[in-house]
Amino acid sequence: MNIELPVTIPQIIEFMGTFAFAISGIRHAASKRFDWFGGYVCGIAVAIGGGTIRDVMLGAIPFWMTNPIYIICTAMALLVVIVFSKYMQRLNNTWFVFDTFGLALFTIAGIQKSLEYGQPYWVAIIMGCITGAAGGVIRDVLLNNEPVIFRKEIYAMACVLGGITYWLFARNGVSVEISALSSFLVTCMIRFLAVRYHISLPRLKGEDDSDN
């Protein structure tokens, strides 16, 4: 089995996002008292779910099928959680930090791959949002939780705004590295601030809601 190490910026970003999302998914599984295999399944689902949907929509071979490093990466994440579980339990909202990092990194990876396939920026931003947010939805479905994108806290909108940031920088001739870094910072900042200060989008009113 030949393992090709990531050598391009998009591959490195995708690898980092896989590791971050895998740890997030495994930590969630640990909170549900899953066994090691269940934790790995949850980790791999959240790590490759969004990217797989993106690649299928782009007509590409899913990224994890071309290189086993992403499967191995999830196993490494499982090992980290197992070995350092006691230390992670002492850190508040550790899963949230890794989930946010994965969200931002996969958003960038989705945008860059969509552009490589000749898609316009508006499609690339949507693909970035799918790449970043869909994995979290799959994780929540597996764990029987309400999907995070349906909760009050801002999640997918952070991907959209991060994607718009990438587009604004790139269209003005800024390098890929700076555009990606700016998108990462904006996505993380919006997510952190939204949760810290309980910022959310307006809620739809149902038939049972009072008009008063």
Side-chain angles (χ1 to χ4, degrees), residues 69-207:
I69 191 64
Y70 301 103
I71 307 298
I72 297 171
C73 175
T74 304
M76 292 169 55
L78 176 64
L79 182 62
V80 168
V81 173
I82 292 172
V83 173
F84 298 103
S85 60
K86 293 183 180 179
Y87 298 99
M88 288 187 171
Q89 289 173 2
R90 298 174 186 173
L91 300 176
N92 292 328
N93 296 324
T94 300
W95 66 266
F96 168 71
V97 174
F98 281 106
D99 185 65
T100 300
F101 287 168
L103 182 72
L105 290 167
F106 266 13
T107 297
I108 297 168
I111 291 172
Q112 291 180 334
K113 189 160 189 176
S114 299
L115 294 176
E116 289 177 3
Y117 274 73
Q119 299 296 331
Y121 265 104
W122 66 271
V123 173
I125 292 173
I126 294 174
M127 288 297 180
C129 184
I130 291 173
T131 308
V137 174
I138 296 173
R139 174 201 65 210
D140 291 336
V141 170
L142 289 175
L143 295 174
N144 198 28
N145 294 330
E146 180 185 10
V148 67
I149 62 171
F150 298 146
R151 302 174 199 166
K152 291 194 302 179
E153 59 188 53
I154 292 176
Y155 190 77
M157 279 303 301
C159 300
V160 174
L161 295 175
I164 292 174
T165 300
Y166 188 103
W167 168 65
L168 290 175
F169 275 77
R171 71 176 299 201
N172 287 292
V174 179
S175 66
V176 172
E177 295 83 358
I178 299 299
S179 298
L181 178 60
S182 301
S183 176
F184 175 83
L185 293 176
V186 168
T187 304
C188 290
M189 181 182 65
I190 291 173
R191 180 87 172 113
F192 287 143
L193 291 177
V195 173
R196 173 65 179 82
Y197 295 103
H198 306 288
I199 302 172
S200 62
L201 296 175
R203 299 175 62 180
L204 292 171
K205 291 185 178 181
E207 296 179 358

Side-chain angles (χ1 to χ4, degrees), residues 24-93:
S24 169
I26 295 167
R27 287 286 294 141
H28 276 278
S31 69
K32 292 282 189 174
R33 311 299 296 176
F34 282 22
D35 61 17
W36 289 7
F37 181 75
Y40 181 82
V41 170
C42 189
I44 197 68
V46 67
I48 70 174
T52 300
I53 294 174
R54 173 205 64 207
D55 288 345
V56 170
M57 294 180 71
L58 290 175
I61 299 175
F63 69 102
W64 57 271
M65 295 178 65
T66 63
N67 194 335
I69 191 64
Y70 301 103
I71 307 298
I72 297 171
C73 175
T74 304
M76 292 169 55
L78 176 64
L79 182 62
V80 168
V81 173
I82 292 172
V83 173
F84 298 103
S85 60
K86 293 183 180 179
Y87 298 99
M88 288 187 171
Q89 289 173 2
R90 298 174 186 173
L91 300 176
N92 292 328
N93 296 324

